[in-house]
């Protein structure tokens, strides 16, 4: 099972939006860090260097979180795609089994018809009609299954 176009586009758009937001936030922190370093160098104040250290720490935390969140999202995406493939394989197997069961029903009912033609007693016509009804009903269901699978 693959992503359809809308799901993939939405996922790419969400990832792009998150990355743009993170880049803007980190850009602001870098500008603040540069400003704090420049101010501290001109005024030679310890408070400016402490502020620059705090900003640098926040920038480091932001980078760390961005990298870890990105890794986690990539791992989740891979796991989801793996589950989607397994689900598609399972659904294909179930679909095949349903079609095979429909064919088996038709074969059994055709055997009933052949037996009843050989017997040819008063109940034979009713049994043949029921078998034909079952074959028709099963064939219609099988055709619907075949359409769903394509």
């Amino acid at each position: 099972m693959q992503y359809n176009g809308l799901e993939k586009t939405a996922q790419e758009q969400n990832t792009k939006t998150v990355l743009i937001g993170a880049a803007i936030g980190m850009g602001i922190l870098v500008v603040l860090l540069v400003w704090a370093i420049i101010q501290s160098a001109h005024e030679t104040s310890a408070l400016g260097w402490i502020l620059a250290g705090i900003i640098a720490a926040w920038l480091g935390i932001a980078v760390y979180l961005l990298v870890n969140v990105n890794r986690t999202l990539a791992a989740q995406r891979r796991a989801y795609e793996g589950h989607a493939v397994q689900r598609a394989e399972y659904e294909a197997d179930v679909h095949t089994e349903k079609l095979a069961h429909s064919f088996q029903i038709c074969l059994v009912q055709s055997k009933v018809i052949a037996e009843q033609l050989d017997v040819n007693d008063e109940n034979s016509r009713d049994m043949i009609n029921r078998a034909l009804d079952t074959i028709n009903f099963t064939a219609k269901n099988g055709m619907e299954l075949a359409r769903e699978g394509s």
Side-chain angles (χ1 to χ4, degrees), residues 19-127:
L19 289 176
I20 289 171
I24 290 171
M26 286 187 200
I28 291 170
L29 284 174
V30 168
V31 168
L32 286 173
L33 178 62
V34 170
W35 175 80
I37 290 173
I38 290 172
Q39 289 298 322
S40 299
H42 288 303
E43 297 176 10
T44 61
S45 83
L47 183 62
W49 288 110
I50 292 171
L51 181 61
I54 291 171
I55 294 171
W58 277 108
L59 184 60
I61 291 170
V63 168
Y64 172 78
L65 289 175
L66 180 64
V67 168
N68 282 330
V69 166
N70 205 15
R71 284 183 190 160
T72 302
L73 288 175
Q76 287 177 343
R77 191 175 309 119
R78 284 189 302 274
Y80 174 78
E81 289 170 355
H83 291 304
V85 167
Q86 289 174 347
R87 175 69 184 205
E89 290 171 355
Y90 171 77
E91 288 176 358
D93 290 345
V94 168
H95 185 264
T96 302
E97 287 178 25
K98 286 181 178 180
L99 281 174
H101 182 69
S102 294
F103 291 135
Q104 289 171 346
I105 291 171
C106 290
L107 289 172
V108 168
Q109 294 303 317
S110 68
K111 187 177 178 181
V112 168
I113 291 171
E115 289 171 356
Q116 291 304 313
L117 286 173
D118 288 341
V119 172
N120 197 17
D121 65 5
E122 58 193 49
N123 292 330
S124 292
R125 190 66 197 161
D126 290 337
M127 298 267 306

